Amino acid sequence: MTEQHETPQSGVSAKALQKDIPQATVARLATYLRVLAVLADDGVAIVSSEELAVAAGVGSAKLRKDLSFLGPNGVRGVGYDVIKLRDRIEDVLGLSEGHRVVLVGAGHLGRALVGYGGFRRRGFAMVGLFDNDPAVIGTTVCGLPVRDVSELTDAVAVLEPTIAVITTPDAAAQGVCDRLVAAGVLCILSFSPVALDAPPHVEVRRVDLAVEMQLLSFELARNAEATQEAVAAVGDSVGVIYTPEATSKGAVVQP
């Protein structure tokens, strides 16, 4: 295996590196971090670039290029130290000190997110849960009391969250966003498909599950068409006629 020689990195700060890392690389670093966390839990000490690339679902050349943005990390002929590389990625992604998260919208989606243990394992601690439904306010979700959204501004000052999550109905999302911005929250993750209006200094990201499923639908249709074309090409080469009905059942029609 071929890795980079490891050298001291104390002279290169995470903040300096963050300015030069492309967004696509950042997304893949998050994937590498997930894989490294699993390897660390399994007691794996060293991983090669090829092994890490396969586990992350990327090419080894792309992985090495992505990791090059972090500075030298591996040892030639040995591989990457799993713990050191995990810690380095966490530092660059701003996760080394963890994040405090508040969530607004204690419906089914909000409750599911609060109950997901993976957030805490990856440095995201849920510290506040809010809603405006009198039937929900005062109940407890995974040890967190649901508070009235009218308390949000004062609560943010006390809880000091670094990230807020919006899982409200679409009609309420912008109002909640406005409250969060006014309270000083700088990073917002919204599960509403509505485009939220926020000042330039506030980072807003949207997760639209319907759009993600539409993209999957497109990939399914495209792959099915490509498969049919490939099967037809094989049939032409051997003088066998394949029909869509036959191929779906694993059968062929002889000429």
Side-chain angles (χ1 to χ4, degrees), residues 120-138:
R120 182 170 290 278
R121 289 196 299 273
R122 298 179 188 180
F124 299 91
M126 289 285 180
V127 297
L129 180 57
F130 302 84
D131 205 287
N132 66 349
D133 185 350
V136 173
I137 296 171

Side-chain angles (χ1 to χ4, degrees), residues 63-228:
L63 178 136
R64 285 192 291 268
K65 182 177 180 181
D66 289 339
L67 296 184
S68 71
F69 285 101
L70 311 182
N73 286 285
V75 178
R76 188 180 301 277
V78 177
Y80 296 102
D81 184 298
V82 170
I83 300 298
K84 288 184 178 180
L85 183 56
R86 182 199 64 184
D87 292 347
R88 185 60 169 167
I89 295 177
E90 285 183 346
D91 192 29
V92 170
L93 294 182
L95 299 173
S96 54
E97 297 183 3
H99 287 278
R100 297 168 63 82
V101 183
V102 295
L103 185 144
V104 184
H108 294 301
L109 176 58
R111 289 169 178 263
L113 292 174
V114 171
Y116 174 54
F119 289 137
R120 182 170 290 278
R121 289 196 299 273
R122 298 179 188 180
F124 299 91
M126 289 285 180
V127 297
L129 180 57
F130 302 84
D131 205 287
N132 66 349
D133 185 350
V136 173
I137 296 171
T139 61
T140 301
V141 180
C142 297
L144 276 179
V146 181
R147 302 168 63 173
D148 194 317
V149 74
S150 64
E151 303 175 16
L152 186 59
T153 300
D154 292 338
V156 166
V158 175
L159 297 173
E160 298 183 337
T162 51
I163 297 175
V165 180
I166 299 175
T167 54
T168 63
D170 297 347
Q174 183 61 59
V176 170
C177 178
D178 294 341
R179 283 176 179 264
L180 292 167
V181 171
V185 177
L186 299 179
C187 294
I188 298 173
L189 177 65
S190 174
F191 281 82
S192 169
V194 176
L196 300 180
D197 183 20
H201 69 278
V202 177
E203 182 71 19
V204 178
R205 296 188 67 85
R206 284 189 295 160
V207 179
D208 190 332
L209 298 179
V211 168
E212 297 301 324
M213 286 191 285
Q214 288 166 354
L215 293 174
L216 286 174
S217 174
F218 169 77
E219 292 297 335
L220 180 63
R222 181 168 64 177
N223 291 340
E225 181 178 354
T227 299
Q228 288 185 1

